[in-house]
Amino acid sequence: MRVPISWLREFAPIPESVGARDLSARLIAAGLEVETVDVVGSGTQGPVVVGRVEHIEELTEFKKPIRFCRLSVGSAHGHPDTPGLREIICGAANFVVGDLVVVALPGATLPGGFEITSRKTYGRTSDGMICAERELGLGDDGSGIMVLPAGSAQPGDDALALLGIGEEVLDIAVTPDRGYALSIRGVAREAATAYDVPFSDPGLELPDLPPPAQEVLPHEGTSADPSACDLFTLRTITGFNPHASTPVWMRRRLIAGGMRSVNLAVDVTNYVMLECGQPLHAFDLDSLRGPVVARRANPGEELETLDHVARTLDPDDVVISDDTGAIGLAGTMGGLTSEIRDDSVNIALEAAHFDARSVARMSRRHKLSSEASRRFERGVDRMVAPIASARATALLLELGGGVYQGMTGFESASPVPTIEISATLPGDVAGMPISADTVVEKLREVGCDVARADGRLSVTAPSWRPDLTDPYDLVEEVVRLVGYDHIPSVLPIVPPHEGWSDERRLTRRVGLAMAGAGFAEVPAYPFIGADDLDALQLPDSDPRRATVRLANPLSDAAPLLRTTLLPGLIATAKRNLSRGAAGLALFEVGSVFLAAGAARAVRPDVNRAPSSEELAALDALLPQQPQHLAVLLAGERAPDGFWGQAHDYGWADAVNAARISARCIQASIRVERGGDPVFHPGRCARLIVAGAAIGSAGELHPRVIEAYGLPARTCAMELDLGALIAAASGITPAPVIGTMPVAKEDIALIVPSDVPVASLRDVLLAAGGELLESVRLFDEYSGAQIEPGKRSVAFSLRFRAPDRTLTAEEVAAARQAAVAAAEAEFGATLRG
Amino acid sequence: MSAPNSSYDPVAPSALDEAAVRAATETAEAAIAAAADLEQLKAVRIEHAGDRSPLALANREIGSLAPAARAEAGKRVGAARGRVKQALASRQHELEKERDERVLLEETVDVTMDYDRDPVGGRHPLTTIQERMADIFVSMGYDVVDGPEVESEWHNFDALNLGPDHPARSMQDTFFVESPDSGVVLRTHTSPVQIRTMLTQQPPIHMVAPGRVFRTDELDATHTPVFSQIEGLAVDRGITMAHLKGTLDHFAEQLFGEGLVTRLRPSYFPFTEPSAELDLQCFVCRGSSVGDPDHPCRTCSSEGWIEWGGCGMVNPRVLRACGIDPDEYSGFAFGMGLERTLMFRHGITDMRDMVEGDVRFTVPFGLEL
Ligand SMILES: [Zn+2]
């Protein structure tokens, strides 16, 4: 809502000394969000005066028509050689001799720093410039020069003052509850309250109209559906002069208010709407066929609206109709057939009150938002329609002649609810004392009727505040008018709670461990495309293909929610590589979304707590959303340096990433040979926690690498972090630290190549008994000296007893037991 | 060995002669001092303190003296040998020290050489700012709570007093899960976590819920369709706006610096009433830039305040939808954007830096903010 301050002052006489900054601050404190203070025609500086066109010479020797004009500009502004006159070249043709125009004289500056000088052009000396609205910074109308209504000014008058250039305008972002602030009237009320000056409400007093002439019957208008339209008025005016122009003062305010000047009839409806907040609609009376009726649309009914869009209507839509069918979307946009035209002599003026929700739904359904719909969906004063309509009629009669023939209409009585509130509630909610007197005073400032009995108040909200429906609405009014800046700052006493949940705490710990291990965290958007699922080589049966699809994705290429973090990491890796990264270790912790079976949408009543069945039904709508941890490793792990040669990330780094995440939260993870199709079939680890597979790690499948254009041997790991955290041990028992001497033995076993080291080690450890403290792989070999299909794996065994130095015999026996078990289990033989 | 026969060689000076002992001692001392390295000192030791050194030989002569003379000669030779031994030890120590210093000098490396062998990681500031903020509330006694990112419309809108026709509902540019009447959306704010908490816990409730939210904005320098918020909720008997203000002031002070305060401006949110916009006193200029064009502040555009979030008292309708009696309990709620907080706290000028995942953005933020 754009509010010219001079217009505001018409109803709220705030002191002249109050500047725009102070006014903004007070309105902001009262809850109106003043975003900016604009200056009308900012950048325009005098001398800019009114000129009358005295003579036009058409210059035809140029590519486009050019006019050389002589203008009266008043005795003080003429050229020294031609007193009172200036000669100016002009490229526009929308004016005639005798018209009043706006002339920027040499020495003037127009927006954009454009300085006006006397200059030679088109073979003449042009001694200034005849201005269009846009050139003066008054709006976007650059279609022709600005022609002022005849008699509205004298040549030589200061055009800056006339056009309101330099006037300050508040630009206010109106919140959805404050429909009344979409009017000068509403903002003026707040300003008057803020400065404690009397407020004269233009929405309360019915302007004087001449008695209906009744030369013709006023056109009939009514509502057929009180649920959609509970108040409808239609005033009839005949003999209007369609050529009467909009006075400068009105045009000035419309432009400052952010609207365009169209013609007098439309301008008047817009002017009254800005002033009172009541949208009005002017019909060409002669185009109407039969009574004008507000009603719900018929199924399949069609309407072409003013924006030339043919619309099929919904039975929930509210339309204005006549015998021909729908002629407008109520309170939203008129139709083409009955629209007022530049030659309309007879006018039917509609002012009505439409149901806010219906208009909101209609506006959304048709993706159509207008000045009118914005107001109706936020709530328009139910009582103001006849007053606004009378005000508009009076203006039309005054400015465009015409005869008032009377009004028809419909009104259904709607009860005005009374809100009961304790006088102490506002203070209790604010946490500061607010006296009952203050509460009553503030509510009356808002416009409420307040009846007081003991500590109870019975409050009736004014018709322009349909948003005030329950006690807390009133509390907000009182507290904001007392001032939020008076609320004290008090820390509440908080009883003990759990703090960080285990899941959050351990997730944080994993993030710290990953970052400490050299991984950089890079959160990605969760949107992926079907292309990603293909690029990952996922078979149709893969659970990662059970995606959730968005109805309105930002990009048609990525309409799915991720079921794996890998596509995001891959895209991020590629971006980093394209920016010159030599090596990357990335990680992300985030949700993936695994589609649930279809469930029927439910919508429990919000006036009570939902039942557990209802809550279960709501949760059944949602996909599973586990938290995953994933890493991506590509390129150089260590560069060349004095320490040695560069080397790249490999599969083992990816598997180790899983171990890092598990170790830091004392979760026990087991690695098996895996078969995830995203990974290289021979270089994929399955990650097992508590007997269940929770993820994969290794080198990406060469086809995945190729599909994404990743560096060769790019590696990755992804696991279900929630499952890992669930396996974190609660209270870790302390280890036993042996202080007796250790005995070390190395063994090399030749085993079939497909025996995993992890299994072999488990068997050695189990068979080595209590004396075998640890088993560590230190070498792996296959090749020339080993029989095909087998390989040699070498382990360091450490033996220790808690209470004594082991004898050579004891160590040998334990070692032999371990080797024997490996022989028995895997056919292992001791090497050399 | 036979005793020397002085009568046999009467002109030879006796080795035990005081002058001879002194001369041998001085010669030894001079040789020790002259030894340039440990090798030379070893030779000197053999020559002047070894078995065949003059003093060792002299010592051996003592036995041949008349008993009366033995004591004095013994004393003289003993003292001389002691001095030589002392000198040797001292020189040995000196030379060893010199050698050690030389070796260590030779082993000198350039410790300023770059060592970037190991990759350096980091946590994303959106993660660490969440934790930092949540830590502050945990220290006040709050819980940290999570909720689903794909959420039912009922939790995201209806229960928050955003009915199907609420004008505010159309202001939110919501991602809908197919089909549009599935009743499922990507949550547009973290507020549904309030609902989930109130549905499962009885007051007193004090919780914060940091997390990701979604709106259909295109990515540009100031917008992103996926962003983060932290939501706070307190429900108890007698909770007031003063408590809200006190909590936010404390939070601002912890996060931005001592003495900083917040400002509340009346506003509108369907789920709170009264509602307020939350401004943070500019932590850079603390308001000194207001009306001082010579010292403008970029952080607050010389406004003195930074728009930070929204807050208010939980709308009784919301409490009712969660089965909490608004006549018995009241609550406050607040929320703020984490990207925005990071932008002004750390001087990030382009939203895309937080979204693109460039490791050169993540790593400098380290592991904690
Ligand atoms: Zn500042």
Side-chain angles (χ1 to χ4, degrees), chain A residues 105-374:
Chain A
L105 296 174
T109 309
L110 299 186
F114 181 43
E115 289 178 5
I116 304 298
T117 54
S118 180
R119 64 194 180 105
K120 277 274 199 195
T121 180
Y122 295 103
R124 311 294 167 105
T125 298
S126 183
D127 210 11
M129 179 170 144
I130 307 176
C131 301
E133 279 180 14
R134 191 169 58 192
E135 288 157 346
L136 291 165
L138 289 180
D140 55 4
D141 191 348
S143 58
I145 60 129
M146 191 173 183
V147 178
L148 304 174
S152 61
Q154 292 298 316
D157 284 357
D158 178 9
L160 298 186
L162 186 72
L163 298 173
I165 285 170
E167 172 161 20
E168 290 169 314
V169 180
L170 307 177
D171 193 352
I172 301 175
V174 176
T175 53
D177 60 328
R178 297 279 170 89
Y180 73 98
L182 287 171
S183 66
I184 302 294
R185 176 196 183 202
V187 178
R189 170 181 293 279
E190 293 293 340
T193 304
Y195 287 94
D196 199 18
V197 295
F199 172 55
S200 50
D201 189 343
L204 286 186
E205 229 168 295
L206 193 67
D208 286 336
L209 282 181
Q214 294 185 319
E215 297 154 357
V216 296
L217 278 180
H219 198 84
E220 195 184 331
T222 189
S223 166
D225 185 344
S227 78
C229 171
D230 58 0
L231 181 88
F232 193 90
T233 68
L234 195 68
R235 290 188 199 267
T236 300
I237 297 160
T238 59
F240 178 76
N241 173 10
H243 306 298
S245 50
T246 305
V248 176
W249 61 266
M250 182 178 286
R251 226 188 313 183
R252 186 173 79 201
R253 285 183 167 175
L254 287 173
I255 291 167
M259 310 205 72
R260 278 184 61 174
S261 174
V262 179
N263 59 41
L264 177 60
V266 172
D267 287 356
V268 164
T269 60
N270 284 334
Y271 184 84
V272 173
M273 176 181 72
L274 291 181
E275 190 171 83
C276 296
Q278 169 68 50
L280 299 156
H281 192 77
F283 293 100
D284 176 52
L285 183 63
D286 300 325
S287 304
L288 295 174
R289 299 285 170 270
V292 176
V293 182
R295 60 166 169 81
R296 301 275 177 190
N298 300 318
E301 196 166 4
E302 294 188 348
L303 171 68
E304 186 172 359
T305 39
L306 274 177
D307 52 2
H308 298 277
V309 176
R311 299 173 188 276
T312 302
L313 304 180
D314 186 279
D316 183 53
D317 287 342
V318 184
V319 297
I320 308 299
S321 65
D322 67 3
D323 291 350
T324 65
I327 57 173
L329 287 178
T332 305
M333 188 174 275
L336 272 181
T337 55
S338 56
E339 190 55 21
I340 189 129
R341 296 190 306 265
D342 287 344
D343 60 355
S344 296
V345 173
N346 301 319
I347 297 172
L349 186 67
E350 167 211 308
H353 184 255
F354 299 110
D355 175 53
R357 287 176 180 227
S358 298
V359 173
R361 283 199 294 264
M362 188 158 57
S363 168
R364 220 171 327 145
R365 191 177 296 126
H366 294 290
K367 298 189 170 56
L368 189 59
S369 180
S370 65
E371 291 286 338
S373 69
R374 281 177 57 222

Side-chain angles (χ1 to χ4, degrees), chain A residues 361 429 473 476 484 489 497-500 504 508 521 524-525 549 551-552 575-576 579 603-604 619 625, chain B residues 122 124 135 141 143 146 150 154 158 165 169 174 176 178 212 224 241 249 273 275 356 358-359 362:
Chain A
R361 283 199 294 264
V429 170
D473 296 325
E476 180 170 74
Y484 281 10
S489 184
H497 290 281
E498 182 195 19
W500 288 100
R504 273 264 179 190
R508 178 182 196 165
E521 188 178 21
Y525 286 175
R549 180 178 291 271
N552 55 337
R575 187 173 298 122
N576 277 279
R579 293 177 181 180
R603 194 152 247 168
D619 281 340
Q625 303 175 49
Chain B
H124 199 274
D135 275 342
D143 280 336
D146 282 305
V150 176
W154 188 86
D158 299 39
D165 300 321
R169 195 151 164 168
T174 310
F176 289 90
E178 198 170 70
R212 275 182 149 191
T224 162
M241 287 183 87
D249 281 345
E273 184 143 75
S275 301
E356 287 178 342
D358 196 313
V359 293
T362 295

Side-chain angles (χ1 to χ4, degrees), chain B residues 282-289 297-306:
Chain B
C282 178
F283 61 97
V284 176
C285 71
R286 298 202 175 212
S288 71
S289 67
C297 177
R298 279 202 317 197
T299 303
C300 67
S301 307
S302 299
E303 296 282 340
W305 297 92
I306 302 164

Side-chain angles (χ1 to χ4, degrees), chain A residues 630-649:
Chain A
V631 309
L632 192 103
L633 299 157
E636 208 168 62
R637 185 191 197 286
D640 282 322
F642 61 84
W643 52 80
Q645 285 201 327
H647 64 278
D648 284 352
Y649 285 107

